[in-house]
């Protein structure tokens, strides 16, 4: 059944790529075979269900070299004898075995096709071991252009970390590098020079003393997406606390460079504040079994599951700046709040295809304003999210192109956050909106999803067909404009600059009295009681207006 579902999804998504409905999606058609092998659910991927990884590597900071192996367990969904594993150059696969027998590997760029000898029988659990080594791609501008960051702290100690969203986990370890199939649980073993420590995802099981090196063994007890797996190596100090949340006691651990320990203990007070606000809005933290960690790294930060990385220089805002210009952005550390918000949207609810990465970034961008709402009120939250509109470019759609590992416009952050803020207004009931967000994290808990599922869920829960609203904001670059006139005590109005059939309700104030209008692309009218009527559009709706 799972195989048939995945096959149907694969065929449907390929068909969708060719649809150009109402000019909503403009296709470039300039992708390579490597893009397809990376971004699609290939025949060599679809027949097996990933269940377990044991990533076991040694890191050599002096030479920027890594070597090791990944043990991959899977359940056979359909009989097939070729299995795709991804690993990006300059790293090389040196050997692959199954049941101790070395297997042939056919290499095609970053995709590697393992030729299995043993018959693959439906329902069986099998495993392969992939050995690899090399000097991995060095991050140029992490986390946007990821890979390994090889830095040193102010005391001359190695300070090393990985980041790979978009680029793919295969930039530093061999895996099934597609979002649709998350591993159910995994071990991460990292060997480092004995004067350093490794912090990875999940809980620390043990530390092995090898003489000149130490091996740190971590276990992740929840499904995890590939890019959420990380390695962080440094001369770390550790402190912790227990947060008593909706699902009981939650271990919150903090790993920082030793020189930063004192200021981290003060600055990281935003972490339990984050947890309290987001459990209120989104429901229980999704990974109690693995705990929550905040780990200092030599780049800005990333949402690695249960191992959120931090590099915001112990400043409020975004490196000390309020991106919204409202003043509210300096009330919290942007990286702590934003990256931890991804624990619910990216790590708990994960997009199947990177084209739908707005599911990660729009909701998490919006979570920043909800943090402010919890502590400073609704007005502060609105002023913050409205202020972020200054960064919206509207040059290309938020949704990317499917099956080629292509994300959409960076407007998925601020425009996506304003779309969700607009949906809150349409819901017109803050408690109902909160329950929708909590239910969303329960219904899609630890699942991979696509845009259609999220659209359907929100339309159903809000109680309005929002399909044209999503078309407008996710697949189009135009912002709805409410055209209106007031003449002879009559208000006439309609939507312009919109997709066909756009019919979003909007709140206005007529002589400061709240009124709902239900515009379409056809002119409608409303008789007014006063010649001196004033009409003000609610600024919480991300629209333009033209009188």
């Amino acid at each position: 059944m799972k195989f048939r579902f995945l096959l149907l999804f694969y065929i449907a998504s390929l068909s969708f790529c060719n649809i150009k409905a109402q000019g909503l999606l403009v296709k470039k058609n300039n992708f390579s075979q490597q893009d397809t092998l990376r971004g699609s659910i290939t025949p060599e991927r679809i027949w097996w269900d990933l269940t377990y990884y044991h990533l076991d590597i040694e890191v050599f900071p002096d030479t920027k070299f890594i070597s090791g192996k990944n043990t991959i367990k899977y359940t056979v969904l359909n009989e097939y004898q070729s299995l795709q594993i991804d690993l990006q150059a300059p790293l090389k696969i040196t050997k692959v075995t199954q049941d101790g027998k070395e297997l042939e590997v056919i290499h095609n760029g970053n995709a590697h096709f393992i030729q299995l000898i043993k018959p693959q029988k439906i329902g069986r659990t099998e495993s392969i071991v992939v050995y690899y080594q090399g000097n991995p791609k060095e991050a140029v501008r992490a986390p946007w252009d990821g890979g390994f960051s090889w830095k040193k702290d102010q005391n001359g100690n190695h300070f090393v970390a990985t980041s790979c969203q978009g680029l793919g986990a295969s930039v530093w370890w061999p895996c099934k590098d597609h979002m649709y199939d998350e591993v159910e649980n995994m071990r991460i073993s990292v060997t480092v020079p004995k004067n350093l420590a490794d912090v990875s995802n999940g809980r620390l099981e043990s530390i092995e003393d090898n003489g000149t090196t130490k091996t740190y063994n971590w276990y992740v007890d929840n499904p995890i997406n590939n890019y959420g797996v990380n390695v962080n190596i440094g001369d770390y100090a550790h402190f912790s606390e227990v947060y008593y949340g909706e699902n009981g006691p939650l271990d919150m651990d903090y790993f920082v460079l030793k020189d930063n320990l004192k200021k981290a203990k003060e600055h990281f007070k935003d972490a339990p504040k984050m947890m309290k606000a987001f459990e209120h809005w989104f429901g229980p933290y999704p990974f109690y079994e693995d705990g929550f960690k905040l780990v200092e790294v030599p780049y800005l930060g990333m949402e690695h599951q249960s191992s959120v990385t931090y590099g915001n220089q112990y400043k409020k805002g975004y490196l000390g700046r309020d991106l919204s210009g409202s003043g509210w952005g300096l009330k919290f550390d942007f990286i702590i709040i934003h990256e931890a918000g991804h624990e619910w949207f990216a790590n708990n609810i994960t997009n199947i295809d990177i084209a739908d990465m707005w599911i990660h970034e729009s909701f998490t961008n919006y979570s920043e304003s909800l943090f402010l709402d919890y502590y400073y009120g609704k007005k502060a939250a609105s002023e913050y999210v409205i202020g972020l509109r200054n960064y919206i470019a509207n040059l290309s759609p938020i949704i990317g192109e499917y099956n080629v590992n292509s994300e959409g416009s960076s407007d998925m952050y601020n425009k996506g956050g304003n779309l969700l803020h607009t949906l809150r207004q349409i819901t017109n009931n803050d408690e109902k909106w909160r329950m929708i967000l909590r239910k969303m994290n329960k219904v899609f808990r630890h699942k991979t999803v696509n845009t259609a599922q999220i659209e359907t869920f929100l339309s159903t829960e809000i109680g309005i067909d929002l399909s044209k609203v999503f078309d407008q904001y996710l697949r189009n670059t135009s912002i709805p404009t409410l055209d209106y006139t007031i003449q002879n005590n009559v208000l006439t109005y309609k939507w312009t600059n919109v997709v066909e059939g756009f019919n979003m309700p909007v709140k206005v104030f007529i002589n400061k009295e709240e009124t709902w209008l239900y515009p379409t692309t056809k002119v409608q009218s409303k008789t007014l009681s006063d010649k001196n009527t004033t009409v003000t559009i609610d600024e919480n709706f991300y629209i333009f207006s033209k009188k």
Side-chain angles (χ1 to χ4, degrees), residues 103-161:
L103 303 175
E104 179 188 0
V105 183
I106 298 174
H107 307 282
N108 186 344
N110 298 325
H112 309 274
F113 299 95
I114 317 302
Q115 306 304 299
L116 301 167
I117 300 171
K118 180 180 180 180
Q120 305 295 297
K121 299 296 184 181
I122 295 175
R124 286 187 181 175
T125 298
E126 303 288 358
S127 67
I128 59 172
V129 184
V130 181
Y131 298 81
Y132 77 110
Q133 65 180 29
N135 295 94
K137 177 185 180 296
E138 186 166 355
V140 177
R141 186 171 171 261
W144 298 279
D145 186 357
F148 258 84
S149 293
W150 305 97
K151 306 293 183 180
K152 289 190 176 181
D153 65 22
Q154 62 185 14
N155 298 315
N157 298 304
H158 287 290
F159 192 23
V160 180

Side-chain angles (χ1 to χ4, degrees), residues 12 74 77 93 122 146-147 149 178 196 234 259 291-292 294 308 314 352 367 382 408 472 493 509 527 534 544:
Y74 60 92
L77 303 177
I93 292 176
I122 295 175
S149 293
H178 193 287
L196 302 174
D259 288 350
F292 174 87
L294 200 56
V308 173
Y314 299 95
I352 290 174
S367 75
S382 295
Q472 183 71 45
Y493 55 91
F509 297 92
T527 302
T534 60
F544 296 149

Side-chain angles (χ1 to χ4, degrees), residues 17-68:
C17 278
N18 297 318
I19 293 174
K20 292 169 47 170
Q22 301 172 355
L24 298 180
L25 291 172
V26 179
K27 297 305 173 188
K28 300 170 190 159
N29 297 319
N30 59 351
F31 295 100
S32 68
Q33 182 195 45
Q34 285 297 305
D35 294 322
T36 300
L37 290 174
R38 170 77 172 84
S40 63
I41 307 173
T42 63
E44 291 80 13
R45 281 173 169 161
I46 198 170
W47 67 270
W48 56 284
D49 178 35
L50 179 62
T51 60
Y52 174 80
Y53 286 133
H54 181 192
L55 178 62
D56 184 1
I57 66 170
E58 184 168 3
V59 179
F60 302 87
D62 287 336
T63 56
K64 300 181 181 180
F65 187 85
I66 63 175
S67 68

Side-chain angles (χ1 to χ4, degrees), residues 366-394:
Y366 180 60
S367 75
E368 299 158 24
S369 70
L370 293 182
F371 176 86
L372 287 168
D373 191 305
Y374 186 84
Y375 289 103
Y376 301 100
K378 191 173 180 179
K379 184 174 182 291
S382 295
E383 290 176 357
Y384 177 83
V385 72
I386 290 170
L388 294 176
R389 292 175 186 172
N390 291 326
Y391 293 90
I392 300 173
N394 285 318

